[in-house]
Amino acid sequence: MLEIKNLHARIAEDGTEIIRGLNLTVKAGEVAAIMGPNGSGKSTLSYILSGREDYEVTEGDILYNGESILELDPAERASKGIFLAFQYPVEIPGVATMQFLKVAMNEQRKARGEEELTTPEFMRRVKEAAGELKIDPTMLRRPLNVGFSGGEKKRAEILQMALLEPKLCVLDETDSGLDIDALKIVADGVNALKSPDRAVIVITHYQRLLEYIVPDTVHVLYKGQVIRSGDKNLALELEANGYADIIGEAA
Ligand code: ADP
Ligand code: MG
Ligand code: MG
């Protein structure tokens, strides 16, 4: 589903190379974890996958279902079923969460050539998904992410993911500050979404999240490269020994 080949990317503004020859393959049905020390380029990779203009790809390619997505803008990527959840969710003052969800869902349907949802159908879907995530209906009337607690932001993010039914989900999880409830919200959301035609990439600094989301594959990112890949045992090894051994071997 996703094939990243010898990717090199730099910050557009000053030309600093952050991603330095990254290779990664993720198959449909797979849950892949990307781990790595702070500053290794995990968040940068998620921004590049989303199509942010602050970064320039200078070499290599990103194939999604066999086709390069490098020339696609963020909206086109989203309409093809790529969903990104960022480490720092964007606040949207003045737009109720409910309204945001409606626009996002209908934009995506339009891009796929599908008709807009009727209001009752939209409401039915939101109520159902919100209920499953134990989201208080008053939260849906508040502006998206504005003044939301960490847990509420996570719930809003997973709600968007559930409603947009993406094919490739990339979740960049905060390096710190995620309490156990928030971890469980993310894990339950991801686990509910698991299916043979969908892939999930979970980016995380800590092994703890992976106690709740059991990954099929684990990849260690360091200085903009995948330096080691393995199965879930690699995450346990990292938890026990830290990154130093693996970094030393790669060097
Ligand atoms: P991680 O998510 O693995 O902690 P990041 O992708 O956030 O790592 O950052 C990788 C490196 O790139 C860091 O050294 C960071 O300071 C730098 N970096 C990323 N984006 C920018 C930017 N827009 N401007 C300056 N430095 C950046
Ligand atoms: Mg970081
Ligand atoms: Mg990060």
Side-chain angles (χ1 to χ4, degrees):
M1 176 169 275
L2 180 72
E3 202 179 355
I4 304 179
K5 296 203 280 197
N6 187 34
L7 190 71
H8 289 256
R10 62 189 187 193
I11 299 167
E13 200 175 23
D14 64 10
T16 311
E17 189 169 59
I18 307 289
I19 302 298
R20 305 181 178 98
L22 187 147
N23 292 291
L24 178 71
T25 301
V26 181
K27 298 193 182 88
E30 194 174 303
V31 175
I34 297 183
M35 303 183 74
N38 224 336
S40 55
K42 303 183 298 295
S43 294
T44 303
L45 176 63
S46 72
Y47 296 143
I48 291 168
L49 285 170
S50 77
R52 266 210 204 180
E53 288 194 344
D54 317 61
Y55 301 92
E56 281 172 8
V57 171
T58 53
E59 211 183 316
D61 210 345
I62 303 174
L63 306 180
Y64 173 66
N65 293 326
E67 283 177 34
S68 177
I69 58 166
L70 289 183
E71 300 302 320
L72 303 181
D73 67 30
E76 290 169 324
R77 294 179 194 205
S79 75
K80 286 186 180 288
I82 300 175
F83 178 89
L84 276 294
F86 296 114
Q87 199 168 346
Y88 304 104
V90 184
E91 298 186 358
I92 309 190
V95 179
T97 300
M98 188 79 107
Q99 189 58 29
F100 172 84
L101 290 169
K102 193 171 186 184
V103 171
M105 287 169 79
N106 280 329
E107 280 299 310
Q108 195 187 45
R109 295 177 68 84
K110 207 162 82 185
R112 289 176 179 169
E114 296 165 4
E115 277 187 26
E116 277 196 9
L117 290 172
T118 62
T119 299
E121 177 59 13
F122 167 73
M123 294 300 289
R124 193 191 64 75
R125 291 192 192 191
V126 173
K127 268 192 187 159
E128 189 187 321
E132 279 170 17
L133 286 163
K134 301 187 178 59
I135 287 175
D136 183 341
T138 58
M139 193 183 117
L140 299 174
R141 293 198 285 271
R142 291 160 58 193
L144 183 65
N145 289 325
V146 179
F148 281 19
S149 69
E152 286 171 339
K153 283 181 181 171
K154 285 291 132 190
R155 284 199 166 81
E157 180 182 283
I158 299 300
L159 178 64
Q160 288 167 52
M161 189 171 81
L163 289 171
L164 292 173
E165 302 180 315
K167 293 293 182 210
L168 174 65
C169 313
V170 183
L171 297 110
D172 189 4
E173 290 314 319
T174 41
D175 291 352
S176 58
L178 262 198
D179 60 25
I180 210 79
D181 286 343
L183 283 183
K184 282 184 180 157
I185 295 163
V186 173
D188 290 348
V190 167
N191 291 330
L193 218 70
K194 256 195 103 159
S195 92
D197 64 350
R198 199 172 266 151
V200 183
I201 299 175
V202 182
I203 300 176
T204 182
H205 187 66
Y206 289 120
Q207 204 271 335
R208 200 166 62 145
L209 178 61
L210 304 180
E211 286 171 19
Y212 301 101
I213 304 172
V214 179
D216 300 298
T217 55
V218 174
H219 308 272
V220 179
L221 190 64
Y222 181 64
K223 290 190 175 171
Q225 286 189 342
V226 173
I227 58 166
R228 179 93 173 262
S229 295
D231 61 13
K232 63 179 193 298
N233 292 315
L234 178 54
L236 299 174
E237 191 188 321
L238 287 168
E239 180 75 354
N241 305 328
Y243 290 105
D245 288 357
I246 286 174
I247 290 168
E249 280 169 34

